[in-house]
Amino acid sequence: MSPQRSLPSPAPSLTTATATVTVFASPESWIESDAVRQCHQVAALDGMRHVAAMPDLHPGKGAPIGAAMASTVLYPHLVGSDIGCGIAVFPIGLKRAVPERIAARFPDLDRSPDPDDPAWAVAPGGPPAGHVEGRGTVGRGNHFVELARIDTVLAADHADRLGLAAGDLVLIVHSGSRGLGERILRAHTGAHGAGPAPDPAGYLARHDEAVRWGALNRRMLAARVAHALGAAPTEPVIDQCHNLVEVRDGGYLHRKGAAPGDGRDVLVAGTRGTPSYLVAGHAGPTANHSVAHGAGRKMSRADALRRGRAKHTVAQLRRTPVGSVVVCGDRQLLFEEAPTAYKRIEQVVADLVAHDLATPVASTVPLVTYKTPDPGPTHRDGRRRGRE
């Protein structure tokens, strides 16, 4: 849901002093100098107040990823093109979860569901902004749908509050607005480049539709997988967007790869072959009320592809060290998204704890991670043949 709007006064046109930059990472953390440099470039923008960099910080296109940036001026490029991208966690009731069998039953989440698919019931009515392309699909890059098991409960009171216990199964869905956010950003940059939004209220109205679109799409994805696995769809216990702008404290709080951490529960995503962590965020103003959203890349995609091909086989990347199965028919993406391309999730979470930004609630271990469909014949309902 989008926050209620209370628009600040028009932004000043004069250049202000460089904003402060705080990096919430320990000396043991992997933080690229290019990412820190991007933070200081953002801090020099007109109206910028404070840049808070999370321990998963890494360079992005035009702005750092893993940062929360507070300003009196609204800059669409600081949110980026995948407005509304976020991670949701859905409980799922399954009697047995054998990874190989479950993997074979995942639907093709690269194509939209058929008109009679029961998953449409979780997103009634017309789509936000009338955007019909890509509904019910996951997208590429670091997006995924994962069946995971709650492994270790680290804070029983918070886990009880969420209704989760060790051994429970959950669906973790990481996806965004599937082209709608890109369309919104392209319309702005085509006229104004990386400059501020001349009509903040107009941008925010379109932005809010993309945020709502992403949340509805995560529900559809979870429902599609639940139905395919013979389970009933559920409501998410966590759903936090990490690419958005929030009107706060008389200004604009831009988040690009940073999750709201002011009293919110967040899934900090690990990799296909490592745990993820549910955390209870309690970040304050020095962190721009934000926490990390994942492990964060430590290699570019080109480097991960080059190094991965020299170090791993496709079979090794399809079956991870924790025993989980990765469904991914795109071999290049397998290498680009290899666990070794990311930072250590344990260090990221430790940094959140050390800076008093979050309390770990529970760890999750992947069983099946869907990236793209495997090639081969499929059933009429979109499931792959030959692996059941």
Side-chain angles (χ1 to χ4, degrees):
M1 297 295 292
S2 303
Q4 291 184 344
R5 299 296 183 196
S6 179
L7 297 178
S9 302
S13 59
L14 298 177
T15 301
T16 59
T18 299
T20 53
V21 176
T22 304
V23 180
F24 290 89
S26 65
E28 294 77 22
S29 296
W30 178 283
I31 302 292
E32 289 186 63
S33 58
D34 284 348
V36 177
R37 189 177 303 114
Q38 283 189 332
C39 288
H40 285 280
Q41 290 171 346
V42 168
L45 294 174
D46 289 356
M48 194 59 58
R49 292 171 170 173
H50 180 52
V51 177
M54 299 295 112
D56 59 336
L57 181 74
H58 55 286
K61 293 181 179 179
I65 300 172
M69 301 151 281
S71 174
T72 59
V73 180
L74 175 52
Y75 291 99
H77 84 278
L78 296 185
V79 178
S81 60
D82 199 7
I83 305 166
C85 185
I87 298 178
V89 179
F90 301 79
I92 184 169
L94 297 175
K95 293 182 179 179
R96 296 186 64 194
V98 179
E100 294 82 2
R101 294 181 179 178
I102 293 292
R105 297 176 65 184
F106 261 64
D108 183 350
L109 301 179
D110 271 16
R111 66 176 180 85
S112 293
D114 294 333
D116 58 349
D117 194 300
W120 289 110
V122 303
H131 185 70
V132 298
E133 296 83 3
R135 285 189 295 173
T137 65
V138 65
R140 294 295 178 100
N142 63 350
H143 293 166
F144 64 88
V145 177
E146 181 171 280
L147 176 69
R149 183 183 70 250
I150 302 293
D151 186 32
T152 304
V153 172
L154 303 166
D157 54 342
H158 288 293
D160 289 345
R161 175 174 52 79
L162 291 170
L164 298 175
D168 287 353
L169 299 179
V170 293
L171 288 173
I172 301 172
V173 181
H174 178 196
S175 189
S177 54
R178 303 297 290 113
L180 176 57
E182 182 181 5
R183 190 175 79 192
I184 293 169
L185 182 64
R186 191 185 306 121
H188 171 80
T189 56
H192 310 287
D199 176 18
Y203 171 82
L204 287 171
R206 295 185 292 275
H207 160 282
D208 287 358
E209 288 186 319
V211 170
R212 195 158 57 90
W213 202 103
L216 287 172
N217 199 49
R218 288 188 286 277
R219 283 161 172 75
M220 280 198 66
L221 287 163
R224 291 188 69 184
V225 174
H227 284 301
L229 300 183
T234 61
E235 288 295 308
V237 294
I238 292 173
D239 189 0
Q240 291 299 333
C241 174
H242 50 242
N243 285 0
L244 78 165
V245 61
E246 176 185 351
V247 175
R248 188 176 190 133
D249 300 329
Y252 302 99
L253 177 52
H254 311 75
R255 291 187 176 99
K256 186 176 176 67
D262 49 350
R264 321 280 185 95
D265 299 302
V266 176
L267 188 286
V268 185
T271 71
R272 314 297 77 81
T274 64
S276 297
Y277 285 83
L278 299 171
V279 305
H282 39 75
T286 58
N288 278 338
H289 310 282
S290 302
V291 297
H293 80 307
R297 297 194 72 91
K298 70 176 182 181
M299 295 183 199
S300 68
R301 293 189 175 277
D303 283 346
L305 183 61
R306 175 176 54 83
R307 297 183 187 185
R309 283 174 169 166
K311 187 175 181 179
H312 305 293
T313 66
V314 169
Q316 288 172 337
L317 294 179
R318 289 183 184 274
R319 186 77 187 213
T320 75
V322 298
S324 64
V325 173
V326 179
V327 179
C328 183
D330 185 333
R331 292 193 173 200
Q332 179 173 322
L333 189 62
L334 262 177
F335 289 106
E336 291 177 348
E337 288 290 302
T340 51
Y342 284 81
K343 304 179 187 185
R344 289 184 62 249
I345 185 62
E346 293 82 3
Q347 185 63 58
V348 170
V349 173
D351 285 352
L352 294 177
V353 173
H355 290 92
D356 197 26
L357 303 186
T359 297
V361 174
S363 62
T364 69
V365 174
L367 299 176
V368 177
T369 305
Y370 176 100
K371 299 290 292 179
T372 67
D374 281 339
T378 60
H379 293 285
R380 290 182 64 186
D381 62 3
R383 293 188 288 114
R384 293 172 300 284
R385 291 190 180 119
R387 295 177 55 194
E388 299 176 319

PDB file of all heavy atoms in Angstrom, residues 69-98:
ATOM      1  N   MET A  69      17.875   7.815   0.230  1.00  0.00           N
ATOM      2  CA  MET A  69      18.367   9.164  -0.049  1.00  0.00           C
ATOM      3  C   MET A  69      17.272  10.190   0.215  1.00  0.00           C
ATOM      4  O   MET A  69      16.249  10.199  -0.473  1.00  0.00           O
ATOM      5  CB  MET A  69      18.842   9.236  -1.504  1.00  0.00           C
ATOM      6  CG  MET A  69      19.968   8.233  -1.801  1.00  0.00           C
ATOM      7  SD  MET A  69      20.052   7.641  -3.535  1.00  0.00           S
ATOM      8  CE  MET A  69      18.733   6.392  -3.530  1.00  0.00           C
ATOM      9  N   ALA A  70      17.477  11.041   1.202  1.00  0.00           N
ATOM     10  CA  ALA A  70      16.473  12.026   1.611  1.00  0.00           C
ATOM     11  C   ALA A  70      16.797  13.384   1.011  1.00  0.00           C
ATOM     12  O   ALA A  70      17.944  13.846   1.066  1.00  0.00           O
ATOM     13  CB  ALA A  70      16.415  12.119   3.133  1.00  0.00           C
ATOM     14  N   SER A  71      15.771  14.037   0.459  1.00  0.00           N
ATOM     15  CA  SER A  71      15.970  15.299  -0.243  1.00  0.00           C
ATOM     16  C   SER A  71      14.704  16.140  -0.197  1.00  0.00           C
ATOM     17  O   SER A  71      13.609  15.617   0.021  1.00  0.00           O
ATOM     18  CB  SER A  71      16.355  15.015  -1.712  1.00  0.00           C
ATOM     19  OG  SER A  71      16.429  16.197  -2.463  1.00  0.00           O
ATOM     20  N   THR A  72      14.869  17.434  -0.394  1.00  0.00           N
ATOM     21  CA  THR A  72      13.711  18.304  -0.577  1.00  0.00           C
ATOM     22  C   THR A  72      13.262  18.336  -2.031  1.00  0.00           C
ATOM     23  O   THR A  72      12.271  18.990  -2.360  1.00  0.00           O
ATOM     24  CB  THR A  72      14.037  19.727  -0.118  1.00  0.00           C
ATOM     25  OG1 THR A  72      15.134  20.230  -0.873  1.00  0.00           O
ATOM     26  CG2 THR A  72      14.362  19.764   1.370  1.00  0.00           C
ATOM     27  N   VAL A  73      14.010  17.671  -2.906  1.00  0.00           N
ATOM     28  CA  VAL A  73      13.727  17.615  -4.340  1.00  0.00           C
ATOM     29  C   VAL A  73      13.458  16.165  -4.729  1.00  0.00           C
ATOM     30  O   VAL A  73      14.143  15.256  -4.242  1.00  0.00           O
ATOM     31  CB  VAL A  73      14.913  18.170  -5.159  1.00  0.00           C
ATOM     32  CG1 VAL A  73      14.623  18.102  -6.655  1.00  0.00           C
ATOM     33  CG2 VAL A  73      15.232  19.606  -4.739  1.00  0.00           C
ATOM     34  N   LEU A  74      12.490  15.943  -5.584  1.00  0.00           N
ATOM     35  CA  LEU A  74      12.146  14.595  -6.032  1.00  0.00           C
ATOM     36  C   LEU A  74      12.903  14.268  -7.315  1.00  0.00           C
ATOM     37  O   LEU A  74      12.743  14.925  -8.342  1.00  0.00           O
ATOM     38  CB  LEU A  74      10.638  14.489  -6.264  1.00  0.00           C
ATOM     39  CG  LEU A  74      10.083  13.180  -6.853  1.00  0.00           C
ATOM     40  CD1 LEU A  74      10.561  11.983  -6.061  1.00  0.00           C
ATOM     41  CD2 LEU A  74       8.573  13.224  -6.906  1.00  0.00           C
ATOM     42  N   TYR A  75      13.746  13.225  -7.245  1.00  0.00           N
ATOM     43  CA  TYR A  75      14.548  12.781  -8.385  1.00  0.00           C
ATOM     44  C   TYR A  75      14.107  11.384  -8.809  1.00  0.00           C
ATOM     45  O   TYR A  75      14.468  10.389  -8.169  1.00  0.00           O
ATOM     46  CB  TYR A  75      16.032  12.743  -8.013  1.00  0.00           C
ATOM     47  CG  TYR A  75      16.662  14.087  -7.780  1.00  0.00           C
ATOM     48  CD1 TYR A  75      16.830  14.586  -6.496  1.00  0.00           C
ATOM     49  CD2 TYR A  75      17.112  14.860  -8.852  1.00  0.00           C
ATOM     50  CE1 TYR A  75      17.424  15.818  -6.271  1.00  0.00           C
ATOM     51  CE2 TYR A  75      17.707  16.104  -8.648  1.00  0.00           C
ATOM     52  CZ  TYR A  75      17.857  16.571  -7.355  1.00  0.00           C
ATOM     53  OH  TYR A  75      18.450  17.799  -7.155  1.00  0.00           O
ATOM     54  N   PRO A  76      13.348  11.246  -9.893  1.00  0.00           N
ATOM     55  CA  PRO A  76      12.885   9.917 -10.318  1.00  0.00           C
ATOM     56  C   PRO A  76      14.011   8.922 -10.577  1.00  0.00           C
ATOM     57  O   PRO A  76      13.855   7.719 -10.324  1.00  0.00           O
ATOM     58  CB  PRO A  76      12.098  10.213 -11.592  1.00  0.00           C
ATOM     59  CG  PRO A  76      11.566  11.608 -11.372  1.00  0.00           C
ATOM     60  CD  PRO A  76      12.689  12.321 -10.665  1.00  0.00           C
ATOM     61  N   HIS A  77      15.169   9.387 -11.072  1.00  0.00           N
ATOM     62  CA  HIS A  77      16.226   8.431 -11.395  1.00  0.00           C
ATOM     63  C   HIS A  77      16.826   7.798 -10.152  1.00  0.00           C
ATOM     64  O   HIS A  77      17.480   6.751 -10.243  1.00  0.00           O
ATOM     65  CB  HIS A  77      17.317   9.106 -12.244  1.00  0.00           C
ATOM     66  CG  HIS A  77      18.346   9.863 -11.470  1.00  0.00           C
ATOM     67  ND1 HIS A  77      18.138  11.153 -11.029  1.00  0.00           N
ATOM     68  CD2 HIS A  77      19.604   9.515 -11.059  1.00  0.00           C
ATOM     69  CE1 HIS A  77      19.224  11.564 -10.381  1.00  0.00           C
ATOM     70  NE2 HIS A  77      20.117  10.607 -10.382  1.00  0.00           N
ATOM     71  N   LEU A  78      16.606   8.392  -8.968  1.00  0.00           N
ATOM     72  CA  LEU A  78      17.103   7.774  -7.737  1.00  0.00           C
ATOM     73  C   LEU A  78      16.266   6.566  -7.318  1.00  0.00           C
ATOM     74  O   LEU A  78      16.715   5.745  -6.522  1.00  0.00           O
ATOM     75  CB  LEU A  78      17.141   8.799  -6.603  1.00  0.00           C
ATOM     76  CG  LEU A  78      18.103   9.975  -6.786  1.00  0.00           C
ATOM     77  CD1 LEU A  78      18.118  10.849  -5.541  1.00  0.00           C
ATOM     78  CD2 LEU A  78      19.511   9.493  -7.121  1.00  0.00           C
ATOM     79  N   VAL A  79      15.059   6.476  -7.830  1.00  0.00           N
ATOM     80  CA  VAL A  79      14.218   5.294  -7.604  1.00  0.00           C
ATOM     81  C   VAL A  79      14.490   4.252  -8.682  1.00  0.00           C
ATOM     82  O   VAL A  79      14.478   3.048  -8.416  1.00  0.00           O
ATOM     83  CB  VAL A  79      12.725   5.680  -7.588  1.00  0.00           C
ATOM     84  CG1 VAL A  79      11.845   4.454  -7.404  1.00  0.00           C
ATOM     85  CG2 VAL A  79      12.452   6.705  -6.500  1.00  0.00           C
ATOM     86  N   GLY A  80      14.743   4.717  -9.900  1.00  0.00           N
ATOM     87  CA  GLY A  80      15.065   3.822 -10.994  1.00  0.00           C
ATOM     88  C   GLY A  80      13.853   3.380 -11.784  1.00  0.00           C
ATOM     89  O   GLY A  80      12.752   3.912 -11.647  1.00  0.00           O
ATOM     90  N   SER A  81      14.067   2.357 -12.610  1.00  0.00           N
ATOM     91  CA  SER A  81      13.022   1.942 -13.549  1.00  0.00           C
ATOM     92  C   SER A  81      12.083   0.887 -12.991  1.00  0.00           C
ATOM     93  O   SER A  81      10.950   0.761 -13.457  1.00  0.00           O
ATOM     94  CB  SER A  81      13.668   1.409 -14.837  1.00  0.00           C
ATOM     95  OG  SER A  81      14.486   0.293 -14.558  1.00  0.00           O
ATOM     96  N   ASP A  82      12.534   0.113 -12.014  1.00  0.00           N
ATOM     97  CA  ASP A  82      11.652  -0.950 -11.498  1.00  0.00           C
ATOM     98  C   ASP A  82      10.922  -0.460 -10.253  1.00  0.00           C
ATOM     99  O   ASP A  82      11.038  -1.034  -9.160  1.00  0.00           O
ATOM    100  CB  ASP A  82      12.450  -2.210 -11.198  1.00  0.00           C
ATOM    101  CG  ASP A  82      11.561  -3.448 -11.115  1.00  0.00           C
ATOM    102  OD1 ASP A  82      10.357  -3.329 -11.429  1.00  0.00           O
ATOM    103  OD2 ASP A  82      12.055  -4.513 -10.740  1.00  0.00           O
ATOM    104  N   ILE A  83      10.144   0.601 -10.430  1.00  0.00           N
ATOM    105  CA  ILE A  83       9.345   1.141  -9.325  1.00  0.00           C
ATOM    106  C   ILE A  83       8.426   0.035  -8.810  1.00  0.00           C
ATOM    107  O   ILE A  83       7.803  -0.689  -9.580  1.00  0.00           O
ATOM    108  CB  ILE A  83       8.499   2.335  -9.803  1.00  0.00           C
ATOM    109  CG1 ILE A  83       9.374   3.398 -10.457  1.00  0.00           C
ATOM    110  CG2 ILE A  83       7.715   2.943  -8.639  1.00  0.00           C
ATOM    111  CD1 ILE A  83       8.580   4.434 -11.249  1.00  0.00           C
ATOM    112  N   GLY A  84       8.341  -0.081  -7.501  1.00  0.00           N
ATOM    113  CA  GLY A  84       7.441  -1.079  -6.932  1.00  0.00           C
ATOM    114  C   GLY A  84       8.057  -2.436  -6.716  1.00  0.00           C
ATOM    115  O   GLY A  84       7.389  -3.342  -6.196  1.00  0.00           O
ATOM    116  N   CYS A  85       9.324  -2.608  -7.084  1.00  0.00           N
ATOM    117  CA  CYS A  85       9.973  -3.897  -6.851  1.00  0.00           C
ATOM    118  C   CYS A  85      10.060  -4.152  -5.349  1.00  0.00           C
ATOM    119  O   CYS A  85      10.360  -3.253  -4.564  1.00  0.00           O
ATOM    120  CB  CYS A  85      11.365  -3.904  -7.465  1.00  0.00           C
ATOM    121  SG  CYS A  85      12.194  -5.508  -7.347  1.00  0.00           S
ATOM    122  N   GLY A  86       9.803  -5.380  -4.952  1.00  0.00           N
ATOM    123  CA  GLY A  86       9.832  -5.711  -3.532  1.00  0.00           C
ATOM    124  C   GLY A  86       9.857  -7.202  -3.314  1.00  0.00           C
ATOM    125  O   GLY A  86       9.894  -8.000  -4.265  1.00  0.00           O
ATOM    126  N   ILE A  87       9.852  -7.591  -2.056  1.00  0.00           N
ATOM    127  CA  ILE A  87       9.899  -9.001  -1.670  1.00  0.00           C
ATOM    128  C   ILE A  87       8.757  -9.286  -0.708  1.00  0.00           C
ATOM    129  O   ILE A  87       8.572  -8.572   0.283  1.00  0.00           O
ATOM    130  CB  ILE A  87      11.243  -9.356  -1.007  1.00  0.00           C
ATOM    131  CG1 ILE A  87      12.396  -9.139  -1.996  1.00  0.00           C
ATOM    132  CG2 ILE A  87      11.229 -10.794  -0.506  1.00  0.00           C
ATOM    133  CD1 ILE A  87      13.760  -9.419  -1.409  1.00  0.00           C
ATOM    134  N   ALA A  88       7.993 -10.331  -1.019  1.00  0.00           N
ATOM    135  CA  ALA A  88       6.874 -10.748  -0.181  1.00  0.00           C
ATOM    136  C   ALA A  88       7.079 -12.189   0.264  1.00  0.00           C
ATOM    137  O   ALA A  88       7.707 -12.992  -0.437  1.00  0.00           O
ATOM    138  CB  ALA A  88       5.555 -10.607  -0.932  1.00  0.00           C
ATOM    139  N   VAL A  89       6.527 -12.515   1.423  1.00  0.00           N
ATOM    140  CA  VAL A  89       6.634 -13.857   2.003  1.00  0.00           C
ATOM    141  C   VAL A  89       5.229 -14.375   2.274  1.00  0.00           C
ATOM    142  O   VAL A  89       4.453 -13.731   2.990  1.00  0.00           O
ATOM    143  CB  VAL A  89       7.459 -13.841   3.309  1.00  0.00           C
ATOM    144  CG1 VAL A  89       7.530 -15.240   3.909  1.00  0.00           C
ATOM    145  CG2 VAL A  89       8.860 -13.291   3.054  1.00  0.00           C
ATOM    146  N   PHE A  90       4.917 -15.546   1.717  1.00  0.00           N
ATOM    147  CA  PHE A  90       3.588 -16.148   1.837  1.00  0.00           C
ATOM    148  C   PHE A  90       3.706 -17.522   2.486  1.00  0.00           C
ATOM    149  O   PHE A  90       4.418 -18.384   1.958  1.00  0.00           O
ATOM    150  CB  PHE A  90       2.952 -16.334   0.455  1.00  0.00           C
ATOM    151  CG  PHE A  90       2.783 -15.077  -0.352  1.00  0.00           C
ATOM    152  CD1 PHE A  90       3.859 -14.523  -1.028  1.00  0.00           C
ATOM    153  CD2 PHE A  90       1.542 -14.466  -0.452  1.00  0.00           C
ATOM    154  CE1 PHE A  90       3.701 -13.373  -1.792  1.00  0.00           C
ATOM    155  CE2 PHE A  90       1.374 -13.322  -1.217  1.00  0.00           C
ATOM    156  CZ  PHE A  90       2.456 -12.772  -1.883  1.00  0.00           C
ATOM    157  N   PRO A  91       3.028 -17.782   3.588  1.00  0.00           N
ATOM    158  CA  PRO A  91       2.973 -19.154   4.110  1.00  0.00           C
ATOM    159  C   PRO A  91       2.307 -20.077   3.093  1.00  0.00           C
ATOM    160  O   PRO A  91       1.429 -19.663   2.331  1.00  0.00           O
ATOM    161  CB  PRO A  91       2.111 -19.019   5.369  1.00  0.00           C
ATOM    162  CG  PRO A  91       2.134 -17.562   5.715  1.00  0.00           C
ATOM    163  CD  PRO A  91       2.261 -16.840   4.417  1.00  0.00           C
ATOM    164  N   ILE A  92       2.744 -21.335   3.055  1.00  0.00           N
ATOM    165  CA  ILE A  92       2.125 -22.297   2.146  1.00  0.00           C
ATOM    166  C   ILE A  92       2.046 -23.646   2.846  1.00  0.00           C
ATOM    167  O   ILE A  92       2.998 -24.075   3.511  1.00  0.00           O
ATOM    168  CB  ILE A  92       2.902 -22.402   0.812  1.00  0.00           C
ATOM    169  CG1 ILE A  92       2.190 -23.345  -0.154  1.00  0.00           C
ATOM    170  CG2 ILE A  92       4.352 -22.809   1.029  1.00  0.00           C
ATOM    171  CD1 ILE A  92       2.745 -23.289  -1.584  1.00  0.00           C
ATOM    172  N   GLY A  93       0.895 -24.290   2.716  1.00  0.00           N
ATOM    173  CA  GLY A  93       0.689 -25.578   3.372  1.00  0.00           C
ATOM    174  C   GLY A  93       0.904 -26.728   2.416  1.00  0.00           C
ATOM    175  O   GLY A  93       0.075 -26.976   1.540  1.00  0.00           O
ATOM    176  N   LEU A  94       2.031 -27.412   2.569  1.00  0.00           N
ATOM    177  CA  LEU A  94       2.338 -28.593   1.773  1.00  0.00           C
ATOM    178  C   LEU A  94       2.674 -29.748   2.708  1.00  0.00           C
ATOM    179  O   LEU A  94       3.361 -29.551   3.722  1.00  0.00           O
ATOM    180  CB  LEU A  94       3.527 -28.339   0.837  1.00  0.00           C
ATOM    181  CG  LEU A  94       3.363 -27.267  -0.243  1.00  0.00           C
ATOM    182  CD1 LEU A  94       4.683 -27.083  -0.983  1.00  0.00           C
ATOM    183  CD2 LEU A  94       2.259 -27.643  -1.214  1.00  0.00           C
ATOM    184  N   LYS A  95       2.228 -30.956   2.367  1.00  0.00           N
ATOM    185  CA  LYS A  95       2.514 -32.115   3.203  1.00  0.00           C
ATOM    186  C   LYS A  95       3.955 -32.573   3.038  1.00  0.00           C
ATOM    187  O   LYS A  95       4.620 -32.945   3.990  1.00  0.00           O
ATOM    188  CB  LYS A  95       1.543 -33.260   2.865  1.00  0.00           C
ATOM    189  CG  LYS A  95       0.104 -32.971   3.250  1.00  0.00           C
ATOM    190  CD  LYS A  95      -0.796 -34.165   2.943  1.00  0.00           C
ATOM    191  CE  LYS A  95      -2.234 -33.885   3.362  1.00  0.00           C
ATOM    192  NZ  LYS A  95      -3.122 -35.027   3.053  1.00  0.00           N
ATOM    193  N   ARG A  96       4.418 -32.564   1.782  1.00  0.00           N
ATOM    194  CA  ARG A  96       5.790 -32.985   1.505  1.00  0.00           C
ATOM    195  C   ARG A  96       6.415 -31.975   0.558  1.00  0.00           C
ATOM    196  O   ARG A  96       5.737 -31.386  -0.283  1.00  0.00           O
ATOM    197  CB  ARG A  96       5.834 -34.372   0.876  1.00  0.00           C
ATOM    198  CG  ARG A  96       5.317 -35.481   1.776  1.00  0.00           C
ATOM    199  CD  ARG A  96       5.546 -36.830   1.118  1.00  0.00           C
ATOM    200  NE  ARG A  96       6.981 -37.098   0.948  1.00  0.00           N
ATOM    201  CZ  ARG A  96       7.465 -38.068   0.156  1.00  0.00           C
ATOM    202  NH1 ARG A  96       6.629 -38.837  -0.531  1.00  0.00           N
ATOM    203  NH2 ARG A  96       8.766 -38.258   0.057  1.00  0.00           N
ATOM    204  N   ALA A  97       7.722 -31.789   0.687  1.00  0.00           N
ATOM    205  CA  ALA A  97       8.416 -30.835  -0.170  1.00  0.00           C
ATOM    206  C   ALA A  97       9.740 -31.442  -0.615  1.00  0.00           C
ATOM    207  O   ALA A  97      10.804 -31.119  -0.088  1.00  0.00           O
ATOM    208  CB  ALA A  97       8.642 -29.521   0.565  1.00  0.00           C
ATOM    209  N   VAL A  98       9.659 -32.350  -1.575  1.00  0.00           N
ATOM    210  CA  VAL A  98      10.864 -32.920  -2.171  1.00  0.00           C
ATOM    211  C   VAL A  98      11.293 -31.979  -3.293  1.00  0.00           C
ATOM    212  O   VAL A  98      10.548 -31.794  -4.269  1.00  0.00           O
ATOM    213  CB  VAL A  98      10.583 -34.331  -2.729  1.00  0.00           C
ATOM    214  CG1 VAL A  98      11.844 -34.907  -3.366  1.00  0.00           C
ATOM    215  CG2 VAL A  98      10.047 -35.232  -1.622  1.00  0.00           C
TER     216      VAL A  98
END
